[in-house]
């Protein structure tokens, strides 16, 4: 890729500030072009670029703009661009009758169409005026290389409606900053991590309780109808239902145990506490299985 800032010095400046300060449009455009080149070279893994590719991109941005980006800044921007790509792809795929201008990344639609689209999809407002710049390049970076155009997206993942600039991604970014004093990451206290983990678990637990309450309410209504109709369940049927529940509980517990064993970085004490809680409380098993792997670790470590 041609260097748009030929002659800029090699001394990089570590940057801080707002998202627009850190990633102005010219730098973002250049960054997207560099990633596209690396993908075309075959330096894309399943979900991200190789470490060598990230090092090259870091050096090019430093040489061209004198900006010293950290691995976290690369990671956040990569995930933000991936979210933008997925949202835009989902919009083109979900809504028929829309046109697309590849020269500026704009969706071609009438005012009435935009009104309906924005009412249906909250994330669509961001694309009404600005479109999705460099969408064709984003298709190369994030899409399935066997597809083309608007059909390009990872074949194993459905398009997301999330545009979170801090969403989690693969940790394959260069970690050179860990060895440089001026780039050392600010450590987060264990208390803050545990508090966040507890909040996430409490939220998941509340959602599980809501679902559990709705299910229990439906069962109660059925039992009330049966009692008013003088219909009783035979003892044999009750025993079969109890046996079925016991088998299901055992299977769920074994599934939890298998998942628990596959998690890395869990010490023996935390493992034992988590297993005891999962064994004693069936509701926690359902909550545990619905959590992401990262949330599972947070919950287990918060038990200590």
């Amino acid at each position: 890729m041609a260097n748009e800032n030929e002659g800029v010095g090699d001394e990089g400046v570590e940057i801080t500030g707002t998202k627009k300060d850190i990633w102005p449009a010219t730098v973002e455009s250049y960054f997207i072009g560099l990633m596209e080149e690396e993908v075309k070279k075959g330096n894309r893994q399943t979900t991200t670029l190789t470490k060598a590719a990230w090092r090259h991109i870091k050096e090019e941005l430093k040489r061209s703009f004198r900006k010293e980006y950290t691995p976290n800044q690369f990671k956040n921007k990569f995930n933000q661009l991936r979210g933008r790509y997925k949202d835009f792809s989902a919009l083109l795929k979900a809504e028929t009758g829309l046109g697309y201008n590849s020269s500026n990344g704009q969706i071609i639609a009438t005012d009435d169409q935009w009104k309906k689209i924005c009412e249906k999809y909250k994330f669509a407002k961001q694309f009404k005026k600005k479109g999705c710049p460099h969408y064709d390049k984003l298709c190369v970076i994030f899409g399935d290389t066997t597809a083309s155009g608007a059909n390009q997206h990872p074949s194993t993942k459905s398009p997301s409606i999330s545009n979170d600039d801090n969403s989690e991604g693969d940790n394959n970014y260069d970690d050179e900053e860990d060895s440089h004093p001026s780039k050392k990451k600010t450590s987060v206290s264990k208390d803050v991590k545990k508090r966040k983990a507890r909040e996430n678990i409490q939220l998941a637990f509340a959602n599980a309780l809501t679902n559990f309450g709705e299910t229990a309410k439906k069962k109660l209504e059925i039992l009330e109808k049966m009692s008013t109709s003088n219909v009783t369940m035979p003892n044999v049927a009750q025993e079969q239902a109890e046996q079925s529940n016991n088998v299901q509980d055992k299977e769920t517990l074994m599934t939890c145990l298998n998942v628990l064993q596959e998690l890395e970085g869990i010490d023996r004490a935390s493992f034992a506490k988590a297993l005891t809680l999962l064994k004693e409380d069936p509701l926690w098993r359902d909550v545990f299985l619905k959590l992401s792997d990262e949330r599972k670790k947070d919950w287990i470590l918060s038990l200590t």
Side-chain angles (χ1 to χ4, degrees):
M1 172 176 291
N3 185 357
E4 298 178 357
N5 295 274
E6 196 73 23
V8 175
D10 292 334
E11 292 297 325
V13 178
E14 187 172 355
I15 48 176
T16 58
T18 65
K19 295 176 184 178
K20 290 184 179 180
D21 294 333
I22 297 175
W23 293 100
T26 53
V27 179
E28 179 184 279
S29 175
Y30 194 66
F31 175 58
I32 291 173
L34 290 173
M35 288 195 296
E36 181 192 28
E37 286 185 354
E38 292 301 322
V39 171
K40 289 181 177 180
K41 292 177 185 177
N43 293 331
R44 186 185 75 173
Q45 297 179 330
T46 305
T47 55
T48 186
L49 305 179
T50 62
K51 287 188 176 182
W54 284 118
R55 282 195 294 269
H56 174 71
I57 291 173
K58 180 179 180 180
E59 292 169 359
E60 284 297 310
L61 289 176
K62 179 179 177 181
R63 183 172 65 87
S64 300
F65 299 98
R66 288 197 300 183
K67 289 181 177 291
E68 189 78 20
Y69 287 97
T70 66
N72 273 340
Q73 288 170 334
F74 279 130
K75 178 180 179 180
N76 290 340
K77 189 61 180 176
F78 183 83
N79 286 326
Q80 189 265 338
L81 290 173
R82 178 164 52 188
R84 183 193 302 173
Y85 157 76
K86 287 185 178 181
D87 286 347
F88 197 75
S89 298
L91 198 58
L92 291 177
K93 186 176 180 181
E95 293 298 316
T96 57
L98 298 180
Y100 168 65
N101 188 338
S102 60
S103 63
N104 58 13
Q106 291 278 2
I107 289 178
I108 303 173
T110 63
D111 291 339
D112 289 338
Q113 285 178 311
W114 269 119
K115 183 178 179 180
K116 293 178 181 179
I117 291 171
C118 291
E119 289 176 352
K120 189 175 181 181
Y121 308 101
K122 293 183 179 180
F123 65 85
K125 292 181 181 179
Q126 63 180 308
F127 301 122
K128 185 176 180 181
K129 293 183 179 180
K130 298 182 180 179
C132 184
H134 313 294
Y135 177 66
D136 292 341
K137 292 183 178 181
L138 296 179
C139 287
V140 175
I141 297 167
F142 301 111
D144 184 352
T145 55
T146 60
S148 61
N151 293 323
Q152 284 190 313
H153 59 78
S155 59
T156 59
K157 297 185 179 181
S158 59
S160 166
I161 62 172
S162 171
N163 199 28
D164 185 2
D165 197 35
N166 292 313
S167 59
E168 296 178 0
D170 294 293
N171 188 23
N172 200 30
Y173 307 87
D174 195 358
D175 57 358
E176 287 181 355
E177 72 167 358
D178 292 337
S179 61
H180 198 292
S182 65
K183 306 171 191 175
K184 189 175 182 180
K185 299 178 181 178
T186 303
S187 61
V188 181
S189 68
K190 292 183 179 179
D191 291 339
V192 175
K193 287 186 176 180
K194 286 187 177 182
R195 178 175 59 80
K196 289 183 178 180
R198 283 195 296 269
E199 290 174 352
N200 292 327
I201 296 303
Q202 289 171 356
L203 178 60
F205 188 69
N207 292 333
L209 285 177
T210 300
N211 296 332
F212 183 80
E214 291 175 354
T215 303
K217 182 179 179 181
K218 290 179 181 179
K219 289 182 178 179
L220 182 59
E221 291 174 352
I222 294 173
L223 290 175
E224 288 178 350
K225 289 180 180 179
M226 292 175 63
S227 62
T228 55
S229 303
N230 295 323
V231 179
T232 59
M233 181 182 291
N235 291 334
V236 175
Q238 289 181 348
E239 292 176 359
Q240 290 177 346
E242 292 176 356
Q243 291 176 357
S244 176
N245 289 335
N246 290 336
V247 172
Q248 186 176 3
D249 287 345
K250 184 177 180 181
E251 291 177 350
T252 304
L253 179 59
M254 295 307 296
T255 301
C256 290
L257 178 59
N258 291 335
V259 172
L260 192 59
Q261 289 178 325
E262 291 176 357
L263 293 176
E264 298 180 356
I266 305 300
D267 57 85
R268 293 184 179 180
S270 299
F271 182 95
K273 288 183 179 180
L275 183 59
T276 300
L277 185 55
L278 293 172
K279 180 180 178 183
E280 294 175 351
D281 193 342
L283 183 58
W284 268 114
R285 300 172 200 163
D286 294 334
V287 174
F288 178 76
L289 292 176
K290 289 180 181 180
L291 296 174
S292 66
D293 288 346
E294 193 66 24
R295 297 297 180 227
K296 287 186 179 76
K297 290 183 180 179
D298 290 342
W299 172 69
I300 294 170
L301 295 177
S302 71
L303 297 176
T304 58

